[in-house]
Amino acid sequence: MEFNQVVKNRRSIRNFKQEQIDKKVIEKILNDALLSPSAHNKQPWTYYVLTLDKKNEIENLITEKITNKVELTYYEKIMRKCMSFVKEAPVLILAYTNKEDVMPNDILSMGASIEHILLSATNEGLGSLWLGVITEFEKEINENLSINDKTLVSGIVLGYSNEEPKLIPRKDFNDVIKFY
């Protein structure tokens, strides 16, 4: 796909087909993520790819925590909706950075790398959804995966899209771009 086409076609997908993704496609997408720019070339990312049983285990862990609560926080309410996307999608990628010496530029670098994942997934014919709210469950996820030395930045679900969402309205160019 042409780059402009990839950028214009990328959408947040919330409805996935029940079809597994070939491991080589996932590896290609993650290799593209590793090519993203990073401040001072720190490359502060580590990605954990969860499929099948492990992905479902994390989904069940979060769903159970939310289901058993009487009152939900704002983020828990959002995550409740997101859990159906995690359940449907065949892949959940967890994006982590180092726990120590995290600089604001590291988070920007992570965002660039995550965007590479989203664009590469689109180029490969996959749908994706960036789940920032999953960080509210970092403690439970880290305990389950035995991660002690990293900070969860985001989750990304990948799968074959079962929907074709239209582009949502964007702010007008002249309202947000200023030339001097």
Side-chain angles (χ1 to χ4, degrees), residues 15-177:
N15 190 344
F16 298 94
K17 295 178 182 174
Q18 297 301 303
E19 184 178 336
Q20 296 304 310
I21 303 169
D22 187 279
K23 186 177 179 185
K24 289 183 191 287
V25 173
I26 298 168
E27 289 172 349
K28 195 255 183 234
I29 290 167
L30 290 169
N31 271 307
D32 288 346
L34 301 182
L35 295 173
S36 68
S38 70
H40 310 287
N41 199 31
K42 278 179 69 177
Q43 302 175 49
W45 41 71
T46 301
Y47 291 103
Y48 294 84
V49 181
L50 283 57
T51 59
L52 301 171
D53 292 340
K54 192 46 119 173
K55 178 198 64 92
N56 292 335
E57 192 175 308
I58 295 298
E59 183 268 326
N60 288 333
L61 178 89
I62 295 170
T63 298
E64 200 171 287
K65 179 174 180 173
I66 295 170
T67 302
N68 292 335
K69 282 189 84 173
V70 176
E71 286 190 40
L72 298 176
T73 67
Y74 171 77
Y75 294 109
E76 289 169 337
K77 288 176 186 174
I78 293 171
M79 200 60 194
R80 179 187 287 175
K81 290 179 185 176
C82 292
M83 292 324 301
S84 64
F85 319 143
V86 173
K87 188 173 192 154
E88 277 185 6
V91 175
L92 171 63
I93 299 172
L94 298 174
Y96 281 84
T97 193
N98 298 325
K99 190 171 255 180
E100 302 298 322
D101 301 322
V102 177
M103 304 296 287
N105 284 343
D106 294 336
I107 302 305
L108 293 172
S109 298
M110 290 295 301
S113 185
I114 291 165
E115 179 66 5
H116 269 53
I117 290 173
L118 303 177
L119 292 173
S120 183
T122 299
N123 191 54
E124 294 298 318
L126 295 172
S128 61
L129 180 66
W130 185 357
L131 294 174
V133 73
I134 202 168
T135 60
E136 293 294 312
F137 302 91
E138 178 179 13
K139 181 178 180 259
E140 295 83 359
I141 293 168
N142 286 358
E143 285 174 4
N144 183 278
L145 299 175
S146 300
I147 297 172
N148 301 312
D149 60 340
K150 304 202 179 305
T151 298
L152 181 60
V153 175
S154 184
I156 304 106
V157 290
L158 295 178
Y160 291 98
S161 179
N162 204 20
E163 63 178 338
E164 291 184 33
K166 294 184 182 346
L167 179 64
I168 60 172
R170 310 310 290 178
K171 291 182 178 180
D172 185 77
F173 183 89
N174 293 319
D175 289 341
V176 296
I177 307 296

